[in-house]
Amino acid sequence: MRNKLTLSLALMGILCFGLGACTVEQTEEGELPEYDVEQTEEGSLPEYDVDAADVEITTETREITVPDVDVEPADGDDDATTDDEPPAP
């Protein structure tokens, strides 16, 4: 029971956060269908106008200095390979 409550609260929080990123305006009311045994009239769903947030994505070139690392095999390691040699089978 407690896990369901925690999950429900988490989902409500995510939903509220997601709706904060866009604007939603109802443009038309909805109505239930009228039902009569002899005649049935269709209902209608409400209409919404949704304007999503504007997101601008750009790229830029940057030069990054990477340190030069020299690696030497440990003493007594005769089976060590280098970048120039293929690995032993």
Side-chain angles (χ1 to χ4, degrees):
M1 179 72 175
R2 184 176 175 148
N3 288 338
K4 288 182 183 180
L5 177 63
T6 304
L7 181 62
S8 297
L9 290 174
L11 289 175
M12 287 175 50
I14 292 169
L15 179 64
C16 289
F17 180 74
L19 288 177
C22 62
T23 303
V24 178
E25 294 181 19
Q26 186 172 3
T27 59
E28 183 178 310
E29 291 287 329
E31 65 179 51
L32 294 174
E34 294 184 19
Y35 184 76
D36 187 5
V37 177
E38 296 175 9
Q39 184 179 4
T40 303
E41 293 182 19
E42 294 180 357
S44 65
L45 294 175
E47 293 183 12
Y48 294 92
D49 181 23
V50 179
D51 295 325
D54 292 332
V55 178
E56 184 177 322
I57 299 174
T58 61
T59 61
E60 62 182 59
T61 303
R62 289 190 178 187
E63 188 172 319
I64 299 174
T65 304
V66 179
D68 183 27
V69 179
D70 293 327
V71 179
E72 297 180 13
D75 291 338
D77 190 11
D78 295 336
D79 195 29
T81 61
T82 63
D83 290 338
D84 297 335
E85 300 175 8

